[in-house]
Amino acid sequence: MKRNLKQQFGQRLTVLRKARGISQEDLAFLLDVSVETVSHIERGIHGPRFDLLEDIARTLGVEPRELFDFQKD
């Protein structure tokens, strides 16, 4: 089954977050969002707003385009 863009993004976010040893709770705190928001993004229920996308990239130390590099997963 092909995953949609939100699901692919969520999986990529999960991989990047775990590779840095950051919990969902810690990421939520660093981004000033709820843990539920992080969980929903990672599960592909919701996609992030553009400003949150920039914050995610900055927090994880990647370029925004790397968040969409689904071939690395």
Short mmCIF file of all heavy atoms in Angstrom, two decimals:
data_model
loop_
_atom_site.label_atom_id
_atom_site.label_comp_id
_atom_site.label_asym_id
_atom_site.label_seq_id
_atom_site.Cartn_x
_atom_site.Cartn_y
_atom_site.Cartn_z
N MET A 1 0.84 -1.19 0.00
CA MET A 1 0.00 0.00 0.00
C MET A 1 0.88 1.24 0.00
O MET A 1 1.79 1.38 0.82
CB MET A 1 -0.89 -0.02 1.25
CG MET A 1 -1.83 1.14 1.33
SD MET A 1 -3.06 0.82 2.60
CE MET A 1 -2.96 2.34 3.48
N LYS A 2 0.62 2.14 -0.90
CA LYS A 2 1.42 3.36 -1.01
C LYS A 2 0.99 4.35 0.07
O LYS A 2 -0.19 4.59 0.27
CB LYS A 2 1.22 3.98 -2.40
CG LYS A 2 2.07 5.20 -2.60
CD LYS A 2 2.43 5.34 -4.05
CE LYS A 2 3.13 6.63 -4.35
NZ LYS A 2 4.39 6.83 -3.68
N ARG A 3 1.97 4.90 0.74
CA ARG A 3 1.70 5.90 1.78
C ARG A 3 1.53 7.27 1.13
O ARG A 3 2.22 7.60 0.18
CB ARG A 3 2.84 5.94 2.78
CG ARG A 3 2.98 4.66 3.58
CD ARG A 3 4.22 4.65 4.42
NE ARG A 3 5.37 4.65 3.53
CZ ARG A 3 6.52 5.26 3.79
NH1 ARG A 3 6.69 5.90 4.91
NH2 ARG A 3 7.51 5.23 2.94
N ASN A 4 0.64 8.07 1.70
CA ASN A 4 0.46 9.43 1.19
C ASN A 4 1.58 10.32 1.73
O ASN A 4 2.41 9.90 2.54
CB ASN A 4 -0.94 9.97 1.50
CG ASN A 4 -1.18 10.20 2.98
OD1 ASN A 4 -0.28 10.56 3.74
ND2 ASN A 4 -2.41 9.99 3.41
N LEU A 5 1.60 11.55 1.25
CA LEU A 5 2.68 12.48 1.61
C LEU A 5 2.76 12.70 3.11
O LEU A 5 3.86 12.70 3.69
CB LEU A 5 2.50 13.80 0.87
CG LEU A 5 3.57 14.87 1.10
CD1 LEU A 5 4.93 14.36 0.65
CD2 LEU A 5 3.21 16.14 0.36
N LYS A 6 1.63 12.88 3.76
CA LYS A 6 1.66 13.10 5.22
C LYS A 6 2.23 11.89 5.94
O LYS A 6 3.00 12.04 6.90
CB LYS A 6 0.25 13.42 5.74
CG LYS A 6 -0.23 14.80 5.38
CD LYS A 6 -1.52 15.15 6.06
CE LYS A 6 -2.68 14.42 5.45
NZ LYS A 6 -3.98 14.90 5.92
N GLN A 7 1.89 10.69 5.49
CA GLN A 7 2.42 9.48 6.13
C GLN A 7 3.92 9.34 5.89
O GLN A 7 4.66 8.97 6.81
CB GLN A 7 1.68 8.26 5.60
CG GLN A 7 0.23 8.20 6.04
CD GLN A 7 -0.55 7.14 5.29
OE1 GLN A 7 -0.29 6.86 4.12
NE2 GLN A 7 -1.55 6.57 5.96
N GLN A 8 4.36 9.63 4.68
CA GLN A 8 5.79 9.57 4.37
C GLN A 8 6.56 10.59 5.20
O GLN A 8 7.63 10.29 5.75
CB GLN A 8 6.04 9.82 2.89
CG GLN A 8 5.55 8.69 2.00
CD GLN A 8 5.77 9.01 0.54
OE1 GLN A 8 6.89 8.87 0.06
NE2 GLN A 8 4.73 9.45 -0.14
N PHE A 9 6.01 11.80 5.29
CA PHE A 9 6.66 12.84 6.09
C PHE A 9 6.74 12.41 7.55
O PHE A 9 7.77 12.56 8.20
CB PHE A 9 5.90 14.17 5.97
CG PHE A 9 6.53 15.27 6.76
CD1 PHE A 9 7.53 16.05 6.20
CD2 PHE A 9 6.17 15.50 8.08
CE1 PHE A 9 8.15 17.05 6.95
CE2 PHE A 9 6.78 16.50 8.83
CZ PHE A 9 7.77 17.27 8.26
N GLY A 10 5.64 11.87 8.06
CA GLY A 10 5.61 11.44 9.46
C GLY A 10 6.63 10.37 9.76
O GLY A 10 7.31 10.41 10.79
N GLN A 11 6.77 9.42 8.84
CA GLN A 11 7.76 8.36 9.04
C GLN A 11 9.17 8.95 9.01
O GLN A 11 10.02 8.58 9.82
CB GLN A 11 7.63 7.28 7.98
CG GLN A 11 8.62 6.15 8.19
CD GLN A 11 8.46 5.03 7.19
OE1 GLN A 11 7.67 5.09 6.26
NE2 GLN A 11 9.23 3.98 7.37
N ARG A 12 9.41 9.88 8.09
CA ARG A 12 10.74 10.51 8.00
C ARG A 12 11.04 11.29 9.27
O ARG A 12 12.16 11.22 9.80
CB ARG A 12 10.77 11.44 6.78
CG ARG A 12 12.08 12.16 6.60
CD ARG A 12 13.17 11.25 6.12
NE ARG A 12 14.38 12.02 5.85
CZ ARG A 12 15.60 11.59 6.10
NH1 ARG A 12 15.80 10.38 6.57
NH2 ARG A 12 16.62 12.35 5.84
N LEU A 13 10.06 12.01 9.79
CA LEU A 13 10.24 12.76 11.03
C LEU A 13 10.59 11.81 12.17
O LEU A 13 11.49 12.08 12.97
CB LEU A 13 8.99 13.57 11.36
CG LEU A 13 9.00 14.32 12.68
CD1 LEU A 13 10.19 15.26 12.77
CD2 LEU A 13 7.70 15.06 12.88
N THR A 14 9.89 10.69 12.24
CA THR A 14 10.15 9.71 13.30
C THR A 14 11.58 9.20 13.21
O THR A 14 12.28 9.12 14.23
CB THR A 14 9.16 8.53 13.20
OG1 THR A 14 7.83 9.03 13.31
CG2 THR A 14 9.41 7.51 14.29
N VAL A 15 12.03 8.87 12.00
CA VAL A 15 13.40 8.37 11.81
C VAL A 15 14.42 9.40 12.26
O VAL A 15 15.36 9.09 12.99
CB VAL A 15 13.62 7.97 10.33
CG1 VAL A 15 15.10 7.75 10.03
CG2 VAL A 15 12.82 6.73 9.99
N LEU A 16 14.25 10.65 11.81
CA LEU A 16 15.19 11.71 12.17
C LEU A 16 15.19 11.99 13.67
O LEU A 16 16.23 12.18 14.28
CB LEU A 16 14.87 12.98 11.39
CG LEU A 16 15.13 12.93 9.88
CD1 LEU A 16 14.53 14.15 9.20
CD2 LEU A 16 16.62 12.83 9.60
N ARG A 17 14.01 12.01 14.25
CA ARG A 17 13.89 12.29 15.70
C ARG A 17 14.59 11.20 16.51
O ARG A 17 15.40 11.49 17.40
CB ARG A 17 12.41 12.39 16.08
CG ARG A 17 12.19 12.55 17.58
CD ARG A 17 10.72 12.61 17.94
NE ARG A 17 9.95 11.45 17.55
CZ ARG A 17 9.97 10.28 18.20
NH1 ARG A 17 10.77 10.10 19.24
NH2 ARG A 17 9.20 9.27 17.79
N LYS A 18 14.30 9.95 16.18
CA LYS A 18 14.89 8.83 16.92
C LYS A 18 16.40 8.76 16.72
O LYS A 18 17.13 8.41 17.64
CB LYS A 18 14.23 7.52 16.51
CG LYS A 18 12.82 7.38 17.04
CD LYS A 18 12.21 6.05 16.66
CE LYS A 18 10.85 5.88 17.29
NZ LYS A 18 10.25 4.56 16.96
N ALA A 19 16.87 9.10 15.51
CA ALA A 19 18.31 9.08 15.24
C ALA A 19 19.05 10.07 16.12
O ALA A 19 20.25 9.90 16.39
CB ALA A 19 18.57 9.39 13.76
N ARG A 20 18.35 11.09 16.57
CA ARG A 20 18.97 12.10 17.43
C ARG A 20 18.69 11.84 18.91
O ARG A 20 19.05 12.62 19.76
CB ARG A 20 18.48 13.48 17.03
CG ARG A 20 19.17 13.94 15.75
CD ARG A 20 18.34 14.91 14.95
NE ARG A 20 19.04 15.30 13.73
CZ ARG A 20 19.13 14.54 12.64
NH1 ARG A 20 18.58 13.34 12.62
NH2 ARG A 20 19.76 14.96 11.56
N GLY A 21 18.00 10.74 19.20
CA GLY A 21 17.71 10.38 20.59
C GLY A 21 16.74 11.32 21.27
O GLY A 21 16.82 11.52 22.48
N ILE A 22 15.82 11.88 20.49
CA ILE A 22 14.85 12.82 21.03
C ILE A 22 13.49 12.14 21.13
O ILE A 22 13.03 11.53 20.16
CB ILE A 22 14.74 14.07 20.12
CG1 ILE A 22 16.08 14.78 20.00
CG2 ILE A 22 13.68 15.04 20.63
CD1 ILE A 22 16.09 15.91 18.98
N SER A 23 12.86 12.24 22.28
CA SER A 23 11.52 11.66 22.46
C SER A 23 10.47 12.59 21.85
O SER A 23 10.75 13.77 21.57
CB SER A 23 11.22 11.47 23.94
OG SER A 23 11.08 12.74 24.57
N GLN A 24 9.29 12.07 21.64
CA GLN A 24 8.19 12.92 21.17
C GLN A 24 7.94 14.05 22.16
O GLN A 24 7.68 15.18 21.77
CB GLN A 24 6.90 12.12 20.97
CG GLN A 24 6.88 11.28 19.74
CD GLN A 24 5.51 10.65 19.50
OE1 GLN A 24 4.68 10.54 20.41
NE2 GLN A 24 5.28 10.21 18.27
N GLU A 25 8.03 13.73 23.44
CA GLU A 25 7.80 14.74 24.47
C GLU A 25 8.83 15.86 24.39
O GLU A 25 8.49 17.04 24.49
CB GLU A 25 7.82 14.09 25.87
CG GLU A 25 6.66 13.16 26.14
CD GLU A 25 6.83 11.77 25.54
OE1 GLU A 25 7.91 11.43 24.98
OE2 GLU A 25 5.85 10.99 25.61
N ASP A 26 10.10 15.48 24.21
CA ASP A 26 11.16 16.48 24.11
C ASP A 26 11.00 17.33 22.86
O ASP A 26 11.17 18.55 22.91
CB ASP A 26 12.54 15.82 24.10
CG ASP A 26 12.92 15.22 25.45
OD1 ASP A 26 12.32 15.61 26.47
OD2 ASP A 26 13.81 14.34 25.47
N LEU A 27 10.66 16.70 21.74
CA LEU A 27 10.47 17.45 20.51
C LEU A 27 9.30 18.42 20.65
O LEU A 27 9.40 19.58 20.25
CB LEU A 27 10.25 16.51 19.32
CG LEU A 27 10.13 17.18 17.96
CD1 LEU A 27 11.38 17.98 17.62
CD2 LEU A 27 9.85 16.15 16.87
N ALA A 28 8.23 17.96 21.25
CA ALA A 28 7.07 18.83 21.47
C ALA A 28 7.47 20.04 22.31
O ALA A 28 7.10 21.18 21.99
CB ALA A 28 5.95 18.05 22.15
N PHE A 29 8.25 19.82 23.36
CA PHE A 29 8.70 20.92 24.21
C PHE A 29 9.56 21.90 23.42
O PHE A 29 9.37 23.11 23.50
CB PHE A 29 9.50 20.36 25.40
CG PHE A 29 10.11 21.43 26.26
CD1 PHE A 29 9.34 22.14 27.17
CD2 PHE A 29 11.46 21.74 26.12
CE1 PHE A 29 9.92 23.14 27.94
CE2 PHE A 29 12.03 22.74 26.89
CZ PHE A 29 11.26 23.44 27.81
N LEU A 30 10.52 21.36 22.65
CA LEU A 30 11.41 22.22 21.87
C LEU A 30 10.68 23.03 20.81
O LEU A 30 11.09 24.14 20.46
CB LEU A 30 12.51 21.37 21.22
CG LEU A 30 13.50 20.72 22.18
CD1 LEU A 30 14.35 19.68 21.45
CD2 LEU A 30 14.38 21.78 22.84
N LEU A 31 9.59 22.46 20.28
CA LEU A 31 8.81 23.13 19.24
C LEU A 31 7.68 23.97 19.81
O LEU A 31 6.99 24.67 19.05
CB LEU A 31 8.24 22.09 18.27
CG LEU A 31 9.25 21.28 17.48
CD1 LEU A 31 8.53 20.17 16.71
CD2 LEU A 31 10.05 22.17 16.53
N ASP A 32 7.46 23.86 21.10
CA ASP A 32 6.35 24.57 21.77
C ASP A 32 5.00 24.17 21.19
O ASP A 32 4.16 25.01 20.87
CB ASP A 32 6.55 26.09 21.70
CG ASP A 32 5.65 26.83 22.68
OD1 ASP A 32 5.27 26.24 23.71
OD2 ASP A 32 5.31 28.00 22.41
N VAL A 33 4.83 22.85 21.03
CA VAL A 33 3.55 22.28 20.59
C VAL A 33 3.22 21.14 21.54
O VAL A 33 4.05 20.73 22.36
CB VAL A 33 3.61 21.76 19.13
CG1 VAL A 33 3.92 22.90 18.15
CG2 VAL A 33 4.60 20.62 18.97
N SER A 34 2.03 20.60 21.41
CA SER A 34 1.64 19.48 22.26
C SER A 34 2.26 18.18 21.76
O SER A 34 2.61 18.05 20.58
CB SER A 34 0.12 19.34 22.30
OG SER A 34 -0.36 18.89 21.05
N VAL A 35 2.38 17.21 22.65
CA VAL A 35 2.84 15.88 22.27
C VAL A 35 1.86 15.29 21.26
O VAL A 35 2.26 14.60 20.32
CB VAL A 35 2.98 14.96 23.51
CG1 VAL A 35 3.35 13.55 23.10
CG2 VAL A 35 4.01 15.52 24.48
N GLU A 36 0.59 15.59 21.43
CA GLU A 36 -0.43 15.11 20.49
C GLU A 36 -0.15 15.62 19.07
O GLU A 36 -0.31 14.88 18.10
CB GLU A 36 -1.81 15.56 20.95
CG GLU A 36 -2.93 15.07 20.06
CD GLU A 36 -4.29 15.50 20.55
OE1 GLU A 36 -4.45 16.66 20.97
OE2 GLU A 36 -5.19 14.66 20.48
N THR A 37 0.29 16.87 18.95
CA THR A 37 0.61 17.43 17.64
C THR A 37 1.75 16.64 17.00
O THR A 37 1.65 16.25 15.82
CB THR A 37 1.00 18.91 17.75
OG1 THR A 37 -0.14 19.65 18.21
CG2 THR A 37 1.48 19.48 16.43
N VAL A 38 2.81 16.38 17.74
CA VAL A 38 3.94 15.61 17.22
C VAL A 38 3.47 14.21 16.83
O VAL A 38 3.79 13.70 15.75
CB VAL A 38 5.10 15.54 18.23
CG1 VAL A 38 6.19 14.58 17.75
CG2 VAL A 38 5.68 16.93 18.48
N SER A 39 2.69 13.58 17.68
CA SER A 39 2.18 12.24 17.41
C SER A 39 1.33 12.22 16.14
O SER A 39 1.48 11.33 15.30
CB SER A 39 1.36 11.75 18.61
OG SER A 39 0.76 10.50 18.32
N HIS A 40 0.45 13.19 15.99
CA HIS A 40 -0.41 13.25 14.81
C HIS A 40 0.41 13.45 13.53
O HIS A 40 0.09 12.85 12.49
CB HIS A 40 -1.44 14.36 14.95
CG HIS A 40 -2.58 13.99 15.83
ND1 HIS A 40 -3.63 14.85 16.08
CD2 HIS A 40 -2.86 12.87 16.54
CE1 HIS A 40 -4.49 14.27 16.89
NE2 HIS A 40 -4.03 13.07 17.18
N ILE A 41 1.44 14.27 13.60
CA ILE A 41 2.30 14.48 12.43
C ILE A 41 3.04 13.18 12.10
O ILE A 41 3.08 12.76 10.94
CB ILE A 41 3.29 15.64 12.66
CG1 ILE A 41 2.53 16.97 12.74
CG2 ILE A 41 4.33 15.70 11.54
CD1 ILE A 41 3.38 18.15 13.20
N GLU A 42 3.60 12.54 13.10
CA GLU A 42 4.36 11.31 12.85
C GLU A 42 3.48 10.18 12.34
O GLU A 42 3.94 9.33 11.59
CB GLU A 42 5.11 10.88 14.12
CG GLU A 42 6.29 11.78 14.42
CD GLU A 42 7.20 11.24 15.50
OE1 GLU A 42 6.90 10.20 16.12
OE2 GLU A 42 8.25 11.88 15.72
N ARG A 43 2.22 10.15 12.74
CA ARG A 43 1.31 9.10 12.26
C ARG A 43 0.65 9.46 10.93
O ARG A 43 -0.11 8.68 10.39
CB ARG A 43 0.25 8.80 13.32
CG ARG A 43 0.85 8.10 14.53
CD ARG A 43 -0.20 7.67 15.52
NE ARG A 43 -0.72 8.84 16.22
CZ ARG A 43 -1.96 8.96 16.66
NH1 ARG A 43 -2.84 8.00 16.47
NH2 ARG A 43 -2.35 10.06 17.29
N GLY A 44 0.94 10.65 10.41
CA GLY A 44 0.39 11.03 9.13
C GLY A 44 -1.05 11.49 9.18
O GLY A 44 -1.73 11.55 8.16
N ILE A 45 -1.51 11.83 10.37
CA ILE A 45 -2.89 12.32 10.52
C ILE A 45 -2.97 13.77 10.09
O ILE A 45 -3.92 14.18 9.41
CB ILE A 45 -3.37 12.14 11.98
CG1 ILE A 45 -3.42 10.66 12.31
CG2 ILE A 45 -4.71 12.84 12.21
CD1 ILE A 45 -3.66 10.35 13.77
N HIS A 46 -1.97 14.55 10.48
CA HIS A 46 -1.89 15.97 10.11
C HIS A 46 -0.51 16.25 9.55
O HIS A 46 0.47 15.60 9.92
CB HIS A 46 -2.12 16.88 11.31
CG HIS A 46 -3.45 16.72 11.96
ND1 HIS A 46 -4.63 16.98 11.33
CD2 HIS A 46 -3.78 16.32 13.20
CE1 HIS A 46 -5.64 16.75 12.14
NE2 HIS A 46 -5.15 16.33 13.29
N GLY A 47 -0.42 17.25 8.68
CA GLY A 47 0.86 17.75 8.22
C GLY A 47 1.18 19.04 8.96
O GLY A 47 0.27 19.73 9.42
N PRO A 48 2.46 19.38 9.07
CA PRO A 48 2.82 20.59 9.80
C PRO A 48 2.59 21.85 8.97
O PRO A 48 2.67 21.81 7.73
CB PRO A 48 4.31 20.41 10.07
CG PRO A 48 4.79 19.56 8.94
CD PRO A 48 3.64 18.65 8.61
N ARG A 49 2.33 22.96 9.64
CA ARG A 49 2.28 24.27 8.98
C ARG A 49 3.70 24.60 8.52
O ARG A 49 4.68 24.03 9.01
CB ARG A 49 1.83 25.34 9.98
CG ARG A 49 0.52 25.09 10.67
CD ARG A 49 0.23 26.16 11.73
NE ARG A 49 1.38 26.55 12.54
CZ ARG A 49 1.73 26.01 13.70
NH1 ARG A 49 1.01 25.04 14.21
NH2 ARG A 49 2.79 26.43 14.36
N PHE A 50 3.82 25.54 7.59
CA PHE A 50 5.14 25.90 7.08
C PHE A 50 6.05 26.43 8.18
O PHE A 50 7.24 26.10 8.22
CB PHE A 50 5.04 26.93 5.95
CG PHE A 50 4.71 26.31 4.63
CD1 PHE A 50 3.48 26.53 4.05
CD2 PHE A 50 5.63 25.51 3.97
CE1 PHE A 50 3.17 25.96 2.83
CE2 PHE A 50 5.33 24.94 2.74
CZ PHE A 50 4.09 25.16 2.17
N ASP A 51 5.53 27.26 9.08
CA ASP A 51 6.39 27.79 10.14
C ASP A 51 6.86 26.67 11.07
O ASP A 51 8.00 26.65 11.53
CB ASP A 51 5.73 28.94 10.90
CG ASP A 51 4.40 28.58 11.52
OD1 ASP A 51 3.73 27.63 11.04
OD2 ASP A 51 4.01 29.26 12.49
N LEU A 52 5.99 25.70 11.33
CA LEU A 52 6.38 24.57 12.17
C LEU A 52 7.38 23.69 11.42
O LEU A 52 8.33 23.17 12.03
CB LEU A 52 5.16 23.75 12.59
CG LEU A 52 5.42 22.55 13.51
CD1 LEU A 52 6.16 22.98 14.78
CD2 LEU A 52 4.10 21.87 13.85
N LEU A 53 7.21 23.54 10.13
CA LEU A 53 8.15 22.79 9.31
C LEU A 53 9.55 23.37 9.44
O LEU A 53 10.53 22.63 9.62
CB LEU A 53 7.69 22.82 7.85
CG LEU A 53 8.47 21.99 6.85
CD1 LEU A 53 8.26 20.51 7.10
CD2 LEU A 53 8.02 22.36 5.45
N GLU A 54 9.66 24.68 9.37
CA GLU A 54 10.96 25.33 9.55
C GLU A 54 11.53 25.09 10.93
O GLU A 54 12.73 24.82 11.09
CB GLU A 54 10.83 26.83 9.30
CG GLU A 54 10.55 27.19 7.86
CD GLU A 54 10.31 28.67 7.65
OE1 GLU A 54 9.79 29.34 8.57
OE2 GLU A 54 10.65 29.15 6.57
N ASP A 55 10.68 25.15 11.95
CA ASP A 55 11.13 24.91 13.32
C ASP A 55 11.59 23.47 13.51
O ASP A 55 12.58 23.20 14.20
CB ASP A 55 10.01 25.23 14.32
CG ASP A 55 9.70 26.70 14.43
OD1 ASP A 55 10.51 27.53 13.96
OD2 ASP A 55 8.62 27.03 14.97
N ILE A 56 10.87 22.52 12.91
CA ILE A 56 11.27 21.11 13.00
C ILE A 56 12.66 20.93 12.39
O ILE A 56 13.53 20.30 13.00
CB ILE A 56 10.24 20.20 12.29
CG1 ILE A 56 8.92 20.18 13.06
CG2 ILE A 56 10.79 18.79 12.13
CD1 ILE A 56 7.76 19.52 12.31
N ALA A 57 12.86 21.46 11.20
CA ALA A 57 14.16 21.32 10.53
C ALA A 57 15.27 21.93 11.38
O ALA A 57 16.32 21.31 11.58
CB ALA A 57 14.11 21.98 9.15
N ARG A 58 15.04 23.12 11.89
CA ARG A 58 16.05 23.80 12.71
C ARG A 58 16.34 22.98 13.98
O ARG A 58 17.50 22.78 14.34
CB ARG A 58 15.56 25.20 13.07
CG ARG A 58 16.56 26.06 13.78
CD ARG A 58 16.14 27.51 13.97
NE ARG A 58 14.70 27.77 14.03
CZ ARG A 58 13.96 28.23 13.01
NH1 ARG A 58 14.50 28.47 11.83
NH2 ARG A 58 12.66 28.44 13.15
N THR A 59 15.31 22.48 14.62
CA THR A 59 15.48 21.72 15.86
C THR A 59 16.24 20.42 15.62
O THR A 59 17.07 20.02 16.45
CB THR A 59 14.09 21.42 16.48
OG1 THR A 59 13.46 22.67 16.78
CG2 THR A 59 14.22 20.60 17.74
N LEU A 60 15.99 19.78 14.48
CA LEU A 60 16.66 18.52 14.17
C LEU A 60 18.01 18.73 13.47
O LEU A 60 18.73 17.76 13.22
CB LEU A 60 15.76 17.63 13.31
CG LEU A 60 14.47 17.16 13.99
CD1 LEU A 60 13.63 16.35 13.01
CD2 LEU A 60 14.76 16.37 15.25
N GLY A 61 18.32 19.98 13.15
CA GLY A 61 19.60 20.29 12.52
C GLY A 61 19.72 19.82 11.09
O GLY A 61 20.78 19.37 10.66
N VAL A 62 18.60 19.91 10.35
CA VAL A 62 18.59 19.52 8.94
C VAL A 62 18.01 20.65 8.10
O VAL A 62 17.33 21.55 8.62
CB VAL A 62 17.78 18.23 8.70
CG1 VAL A 62 18.38 17.06 9.46
CG2 VAL A 62 16.31 18.41 9.06
N GLU A 63 18.28 20.60 6.81
CA GLU A 63 17.64 21.51 5.88
C GLU A 63 16.19 21.05 5.70
O GLU A 63 15.93 19.84 5.73
CB GLU A 63 18.36 21.50 4.53
CG GLU A 63 19.75 22.09 4.58
CD GLU A 63 19.72 23.57 4.88
OE1 GLU A 63 18.83 24.28 4.39
OE2 GLU A 63 20.61 24.03 5.62
N PRO A 64 15.25 21.97 5.52
CA PRO A 64 13.85 21.57 5.35
C PRO A 64 13.65 20.50 4.28
O PRO A 64 12.86 19.57 4.46
CB PRO A 64 13.14 22.87 4.99
CG PRO A 64 13.96 23.92 5.67
CD PRO A 64 15.39 23.43 5.55
N ARG A 65 14.39 20.57 3.19
CA ARG A 65 14.21 19.58 2.11
C ARG A 65 14.56 18.17 2.58
O ARG A 65 14.03 17.19 2.06
CB ARG A 65 15.03 19.97 0.89
CG ARG A 65 16.52 19.82 1.05
CD ARG A 65 17.27 20.17 -0.24
NE ARG A 65 18.69 20.04 -0.08
CZ ARG A 65 19.47 20.94 0.50
NH1 ARG A 65 18.96 22.07 0.93
NH2 ARG A 65 20.76 20.73 0.63
N GLU A 66 15.45 18.05 3.59
CA GLU A 66 15.82 16.73 4.09
C GLU A 66 14.66 16.04 4.80
O GLU A 66 14.65 14.82 4.89
CB GLU A 66 17.02 16.84 5.03
CG GLU A 66 18.30 17.25 4.33
CD GLU A 66 19.46 17.36 5.28
OE1 GLU A 66 19.84 16.33 5.87
OE2 GLU A 66 19.99 18.48 5.43
N LEU A 67 13.70 16.81 5.25
CA LEU A 67 12.52 16.23 5.88
C LEU A 67 11.67 15.47 4.86
O LEU A 67 10.84 14.65 5.22
CB LEU A 67 11.67 17.31 6.55
CG LEU A 67 12.33 18.05 7.72
CD1 LEU A 67 11.48 19.23 8.15
CD2 LEU A 67 12.56 17.11 8.89
N PHE A 68 11.90 15.77 3.58
CA PHE A 68 11.13 15.14 2.51
C PHE A 68 11.96 14.14 1.71
O PHE A 68 11.52 13.67 0.66
CB PHE A 68 10.56 16.22 1.57
CG PHE A 68 9.55 17.10 2.24
CD1 PHE A 68 9.94 18.28 2.84
CD2 PHE A 68 8.22 16.74 2.29
CE1 PHE A 68 9.02 19.10 3.47
CE2 PHE A 68 7.28 17.54 2.92
CZ PHE A 68 7.69 18.73 3.50
N ASP A 69 13.14 13.78 2.21
CA ASP A 69 14.00 12.82 1.53
C ASP A 69 13.58 11.41 1.95
O ASP A 69 14.25 10.77 2.75
CB ASP A 69 15.47 13.10 1.85
CG ASP A 69 16.41 12.33 0.95
OD1 ASP A 69 15.93 11.51 0.14
OD2 ASP A 69 17.62 12.55 1.06
N PHE A 70 12.48 10.96 1.39
CA PHE A 70 11.88 9.69 1.81
C PHE A 70 12.68 8.48 1.37
O PHE A 70 12.49 7.40 1.89
CB PHE A 70 10.45 9.59 1.30
CG PHE A 70 9.59 10.77 1.66
CD1 PHE A 70 8.76 11.34 0.72
CD2 PHE A 70 9.60 11.31 2.94
CE1 PHE A 70 7.96 12.43 1.04
CE2 PHE A 70 8.82 12.39 3.27
CZ PHE A 70 7.99 12.95 2.32
N GLN A 71 13.58 8.64 0.43
CA GLN A 71 14.38 7.50 -0.06
C GLN A 71 15.36 7.02 0.98
O GLN A 71 15.87 5.90 0.88
CB GLN A 71 15.12 7.91 -1.35
CG GLN A 71 14.22 8.36 -2.46
CD GLN A 71 13.12 7.37 -2.80
OE1 GLN A 71 13.37 6.17 -2.89
NE2 GLN A 71 11.90 7.85 -2.96
N LYS A 72 15.66 7.83 1.99
CA LYS A 72 16.65 7.46 3.00
C LYS A 72 16.06 6.55 4.07
O LYS A 72 16.78 6.03 4.90
CB LYS A 72 17.24 8.71 3.66
CG LYS A 72 18.10 9.50 2.70
CD LYS A 72 18.78 10.64 3.40
CE LYS A 72 19.71 11.37 2.45
NZ LYS A 72 20.40 12.47 3.09
N ASP A 73 14.76 6.39 4.07
CA ASP A 73 14.11 5.58 5.13
C ASP A 73 14.02 4.12 4.73
O ASP A 73 13.85 3.74 3.64
CB ASP A 73 12.72 6.12 5.43
CG ASP A 73 12.78 7.52 6.00
OD1 ASP A 73 13.81 7.88 6.58
OD2 ASP A 73 11.80 8.25 5.85
#
